[in-house]
Amino acid sequence: MDIAVGSVRQITQVAMAIKVAADTVQKNKSDCRKIAARINRLTAVLSWLESTGMARHPAMSAMLEELEGTMDQALTLVKACQEKNGIAHLFSAKSLSKDLRQVNQDISERMMDAMFATSAQVTITLVTQIQEGALVPACLQTQDAGIFERSTAIGPSECINYCVEIVFEEGSEDVNVPSYLTKFSFSEIEVATNNFSEQNLIGEGSLFTIYKGVLPDGCEVVIKRPRAGCDIGFPVQLQHENVVATLGYCLDGLGEMVVEEYMPNGTLSEIIKGSPRRLDWPSTFHIIRGIAHGLAYLQTMCVVHSDLKLDNIFIDSRMNPKIFSSERFKILLEQGVTEIVTEESVSTMGNAPPEYITDGIISMKSDVFSFGVLLLRTLFGMGRLELDQHPIVWAWEVKEAQRIKDLFNSSSCDESEITEIVRGTDIALLCTQMEPSDRPSITDVLKMLNGKEKLPVPKRPRFTENKRREAAAEEEKQEEHAVLR
């Protein structure tokens, strides 16, 4: 059996034992159940890593080994909270509670090690349980509010609306659809997509297939067609120059199709990785600032994107960035509510914030973290740098070694531009702080991007310290081998 697969299965078995034990504890019930809840999320992440083959990545082996030890310790501590357990007498009540909180923190850190172990960007989708929820947030109640269906909420919060979508019931009239959206007939969509031909197919999502279409007036559009049994819906009242615009819709037997504006330059990921033309700093900064403006707009509309990444940023014909939603749902937060908890995880490994991965916490600061990772990926993409580690780890290493200036060609960047790149790296590190409270708001990010004031000093994340120690140990080992030769 593959070592990584064996480790995942062993960890999963211990996790099941912890969850069973947590249900029967007689003391420290709150701490034990917090551990069980975090482990429930951890096992889902590990199962996903195994199914996608990511668990076999060389960078994962040490993390899995450490995680096994942490899980064994957690099981011992939870069992000690069972009144009749033989090991309970080994712990004082005070030390046991302290140790439980520490092992819960250790589990969180091991999860971070897993999420940021590589430079890979792979989307995570975890199975969820959905419960009845609340109505449309007050901040989005407009004259068209009747088009919203009653939302579903996830987890204990009653302040989450999980749909920024119009979803038509069979036989319903679309009388409340905003006037700026065009209703297309099915035959018009068929003609536009050449009868949904393979040549017009440009992408696929978990809920829909994406086609390029051409309308009778020559306008190029994107058409999202739902898979059987899926209602994809479409965003309502989101109109901003840095957000992909919905132009119209079509009611089909499979569900509603969505017509959106077409982006001729593709995604930011394609431009960075596939374009022979290297982005200069003015173009890069224009894109970065545009994304920040689009994100700030979404937040004024109480929307959390929750999967901000290079593949979800499209570039129009004038090189303006536009934020795209790759999934059906966006998260809406009520005014006055700062965060919600969800059992769902549909995000991208390495881009999602730690509180989302470990505990399912979603807030406006979640997108700030993802923006910081996106900013770093854009910067090293501009420099055509090859990375074998997560960009946050890379950024801290080059920052502390003061090598950022050396990584960008002086022939393509002048001194003032390199200074701005260094500043951009520092802003990204502030955005990717592990604690949400340590991250700036997206409004503050815009001020930092546009200003020259001195920036706050970011805190180095603990998982990057682990990487630094591992690198130092490996370097020392290589030096010893060199001496022996």
Side-chain angles (χ1 to χ4, degrees), residues 2 9 68 107 131 146 176 214 266 298 307 323 325 338 418:
D2 187 288
R9 292 179 183 174
E68 278 192 64
I107 292 169
Q131 302 172 353
N176 289 318
V214 180
L298 291 179
D307 195 21
I323 298 173
S325 174
T338 58
I418 291 177

Side-chain angles (χ1 to χ4, degrees), residues 132-144:
E132 287 299 317
L135 294 172
V136 181
C139 58
L140 282 182
Q141 288 177 352
T142 68
Q143 60 183 359
D144 292 317

Side-chain angles (χ1 to χ4, degrees), residues 168-189:
F168 296 105
E169 295 180 1
E170 188 174 353
S172 67
E173 295 294 330
D174 48 342
V175 294
N176 289 318
V177 174
S179 58
Y180 65 83
L181 294 177
T182 301
K183 181 179 180 180
F184 295 92
S185 68
F186 183 74
S187 60
E188 287 176 310
I189 299 298

Side-chain angles (χ1 to χ4, degrees), residues 346-358:
V346 180
S347 194
T348 301
M349 185 174 76
N351 289 30
E355 69 274 9
Y356 185 37
I357 296 297
T358 59

Side-chain angles (χ1 to χ4, degrees), residues 9-23 39-40 43 71 75:
R9 292 179 183 174
Q10 175 63 27
I11 292 168
T12 302
Q13 289 174 359
V14 176
M16 290 300 296
I18 291 172
K19 286 187 279 188
V20 170
D23 287 338
I39 283 174
N40 187 51
T43 52
M71 295 289 282
L75 179 58

Side-chain angles (χ1 to χ4, degrees), residues 144 147 164-166 168 174-184 233-239 244-250 257-261:
D144 292 317
I147 58 183
V164 197
E165 325 295 332
I166 297 175
F168 296 105
D174 48 342
V175 294
N176 289 318
V177 174
S179 58
Y180 65 83
L181 294 177
T182 301
K183 181 179 180 180
F184 295 92
F234 50 92
V236 175
Q237 303 286 34
L238 297 181
Q239 294 181 298
V244 170
T246 299
L247 305 177
Y249 64 98
C250 170
M257 286 187 281
V258 178
V259 181
E260 295 180 345
E261 60 180 331

Side-chain angles (χ1 to χ4, degrees), residues 285-306:
F285 185 68
H286 172 75
I287 289 170
I288 291 168
R289 190 164 53 180
I291 297 168
H293 276 293
L295 187 55
Y297 166 75
L298 291 179
Q299 295 200 356
T300 65
M301 298 296 287
C302 303
V303 175
V304 180
H305 188 282
S306 78

Side-chain angles (χ1 to χ4, degrees), residues 126-364:
L126 305 184
V127 177
T128 62
Q129 295 179 341
I130 301 178
Q131 302 172 353
E132 287 299 317
L135 294 172
V136 181
C139 58
L140 282 182
Q141 288 177 352
T142 68
Q143 60 183 359
D144 292 317
I147 58 183
F148 286 88
E149 68 169 349
R150 182 172 178 82
S151 176
T152 54
I154 298 181
S157 173
E158 294 182 356
C159 300
I160 174 175
N161 190 338
Y162 215 68
C163 194
V164 197
E165 325 295 332
I166 297 175
V167 180
F168 296 105
E169 295 180 1
E170 188 174 353
S172 67
E173 295 294 330
D174 48 342
V175 294
N176 289 318
V177 174
S179 58
Y180 65 83
L181 294 177
T182 301
K183 181 179 180 180
F184 295 92
S185 68
F186 183 74
S187 60
E188 287 176 310
I189 299 298
E190 278 189 311
V191 172
T193 60
N194 193 21
N195 200 24
F196 301 100
S197 70
E198 288 289 331
Q199 289 75 19
N200 286 63
L201 180 64
I202 58 176
E204 296 190 59
S206 60
L207 299 174
F208 48 78
T209 50
I210 306 172
Y211 295 88
K212 179 181 176 181
V214 180
L215 300 179
D217 62 0
C219 178
E220 294 180 315
V221 295
V222 167
I223 297 166
K224 295 178 181 176
R225 190 181 194 188
R227 298 183 183 279
C230 297
D231 284 318
I232 61 175
F234 50 92
V236 175
Q237 303 286 34
L238 297 181
Q239 294 181 298
H240 188 270
E241 62 180 343
N242 296 119
V243 177
V244 170
T246 299
L247 305 177
Y249 64 98
C250 170
L251 300 183
D252 179 19
L254 289 176
E256 65 277 7
M257 286 187 281
V258 178
V259 181
E260 295 180 345
E261 60 180 331
Y262 176 72
M263 299 289 106
N265 283 326
T267 68
L268 181 55
S269 178
E270 291 168 341
I271 288 177
I272 286 176
K273 298 174 183 177
S275 174
R277 185 171 68 89
R278 185 170 175 169
L279 280 176
D280 58 17
W281 173 244
S283 299
T284 302
F285 185 68
H286 172 75
I287 289 170
I288 291 168
R289 190 164 53 180
I291 297 168
H293 276 293
L295 187 55
Y297 166 75
L298 291 179
Q299 295 200 356
T300 65
M301 298 296 287
C302 303
V303 175
V304 180
H305 188 282
S306 78
D307 195 21
L308 201 63
K309 58 184 178 181
L310 296 177
D311 288 330
N312 280 339
I313 304 298
F314 281 77
I315 308 297
D316 71 10
S317 58
R318 295 177 297 171
M319 292 301 290
N320 292 317
K322 291 180 178 276
I323 298 173
F324 171 73
S325 174
S326 61
E327 294 294 332
R328 172 185 172 185
F329 296 120
K330 286 178 167 55
I331 310 299
L332 306 182
L333 302 179
E334 287 274 19
Q335 286 180 328
V337 176
T338 58
E339 65 181 37
I340 57 92
V341 179
T342 171
E343 292 180 4
E344 175 154 321
S345 179
V346 180
S347 194
T348 301
M349 185 174 76
N351 289 30
E355 69 274 9
Y356 185 37
I357 296 297
T358 59
D359 300 309
I361 296 174
I362 298 171
S363 71
M364 296 299 183

